[in-house]
Amino acid sequence: MKKRRIIYGSTLISFLILILVGVLCFFLIPRITYHYEQTTESYSVHKVYGNAKSYTIQSDIQSKPITKINARAFMDKTNLRKIELKETITEVERMSFKNCKKLEKIDLTHIETIGRNAFQGCISLEDVSIEARYIDGGAFMECKNLSTITLNRTSIIGSYAFAYTNIEEIIIPSTCHTLGVDAFYQCSNLKKIIVKSPNLKNNAYLNSLDIVEFLV
């Protein structure tokens, strides 16, 4: 009886170890899962596992394009240094890359929508060129080394979008019609905001700052 108990106990421990190893492999091995969006007939980056230096996003799945990075997909991937967003991707949802502290460069020139706090805390980012029409609140907040931001077709900039960054000058394009409160809060090195949009002449936040130059 005692021998049977020992054998049973050893088998149970081995089984539990196998389960533990399986669980660890499931969560720690770097990989990307995708989700099919029936309404748009496209895929999105759904969940990212592991904590690798780089990931490769597929161009398409079964001839259906990948068009979106889902909320929190890459959040807290503290080893991530580079990621290529395929040209089919047009939306980066909220907190998608939040706290990716080693992310140094990312091409956003084909992104149309950047969600709330999408890149918050990406302290290794130094420059970004943005074609997005919609930049939600806190999108680049606390990107402490971000010194160069180029906005091209932006229509909406949310509150605290570039708060706590290292920018010295920024040009707000003529396409912009909405700028949220404290979009540049605590940007201690910011010396000039050039506004080319006539829609922002009466913006209360901009008019409260003494570093704004309206070119309209």
Side-chain angles (χ1 to χ4, degrees), residues 27 30-35 37 44-52 55 57 66 68-78 80 83 85 89 91-100 116-119:
F27 286 103
R31 71 188 192 285
I32 295 174
T33 61
Y34 300 89
H35 176 72
E37 309 277 343
S44 61
V45 173
H46 178 59
K47 184 73 176 176
V48 179
Y49 294 93
N51 194 8
Y55 288 84
I57 298 173
I66 295 160
K68 183 170 64 176
I69 308 294
N70 282 359
R72 299 181 177 87
F74 287 90
M75 189 173 79
D76 295 328
K77 302 303 177 188
T78 53
L80 181 65
I83 184 77
L85 300 184
I89 296 173
E91 183 176 358
V92 175
E93 287 193 339
R94 69 187 187 280
M95 296 184 279
S96 294
F97 293 90
K98 184 179 179 181
N99 292 331
C100 291
R116 176 171 50 86
N117 305 102
F119 294 93

Side-chain angles (χ1 to χ4, degrees), residues 2-215:
K2 187 176 181 181
K3 187 176 181 179
R4 286 182 180 177
R5 288 178 180 174
I6 292 172
I7 293 173
Y8 176 76
S10 299
T11 303
L12 180 61
I13 291 171
S14 299
F15 180 69
L16 292 174
I17 290 173
L18 284 173
I19 291 176
L20 179 61
V21 169
V23 169
L24 289 173
C25 288
F26 181 84
F27 286 103
L28 297 180
I29 292 177
R31 71 188 192 285
I32 295 174
T33 61
Y34 300 89
H35 176 72
Y36 183 64
E37 309 277 343
Q38 195 162 12
T39 54
T40 58
E41 295 186 343
S42 64
Y43 282 87
S44 61
V45 173
H46 178 59
K47 184 73 176 176
V48 179
Y49 294 93
N51 194 8
K53 291 182 179 180
S54 66
Y55 288 84
T56 300
I57 298 173
Q58 294 178 218
S59 298
D60 60 78
I61 298 174
Q62 298 177 340
S63 299
K64 302 290 185 181
I66 295 160
T67 60
K68 183 170 64 176
I69 308 294
N70 282 359
R72 299 181 177 87
F74 287 90
M75 189 173 79
D76 295 328
K77 302 303 177 188
T78 53
N79 284 328
L80 181 65
R81 293 179 182 272
K82 62 178 182 178
I83 184 77
E84 179 188 352
L85 300 184
K86 306 295 184 181
E87 291 187 4
T88 56
I89 296 173
T90 59
E91 183 176 358
V92 175
E93 287 193 339
R94 69 187 187 280
M95 296 184 279
S96 294
F97 293 90
K98 184 179 179 181
N99 292 331
C100 291
K101 298 181 184 299
K102 293 183 180 179
L103 182 63
E104 298 172 348
K105 199 168 185 65
I106 188 166
D107 183 5
L108 300 175
T109 54
H110 49 85
I111 304 300
E112 291 286 334
T113 302
I114 299 176
R116 176 171 50 86
N117 305 102
F119 294 93
Q120 180 181 350
C122 292
I123 59 176
S124 294
L125 275 180
E126 294 184 359
D127 64 271
V128 290
S129 182
I130 303 171
E131 297 280 346
R133 296 188 182 278
Y134 182 68
I135 303 172
D136 208 343
F140 293 90
M141 186 167 68
E142 296 174 349
C143 293
K144 297 179 180 179
N145 290 305
L146 184 58
S147 58
T148 304
I149 299 167
T150 305
L151 303 176
N152 293 307
R153 299 183 301 149
T154 304
S155 299
I156 299 174
I157 300 173
S159 299
Y160 297 93
F162 300 105
Y164 299 100
T165 59
N166 196 38
I167 56 174
E168 296 182 7
E169 181 176 311
I170 190 165
I171 299 173
I172 300 176
S174 58
T175 52
C176 190
H177 58 75
T178 303
L179 181 76
V181 175
D182 291 328
F184 306 103
Y185 182 73
Q186 290 295 318
C187 292
S188 56
N189 290 325
L190 184 58
K191 297 178 177 65
K192 185 183 288 188
I193 300 173
I194 298 173
V195 181
K196 293 185 175 181
S197 173
N199 297 304
L200 297 177
K201 288 192 72 174
N202 296 319
N203 182 277
Y205 171 61
L206 288 175
N207 283 297
S208 71
L209 305 175
D210 57 7
I211 57 172
V212 177
E213 180 180 347
F214 289 95
L215 297 183

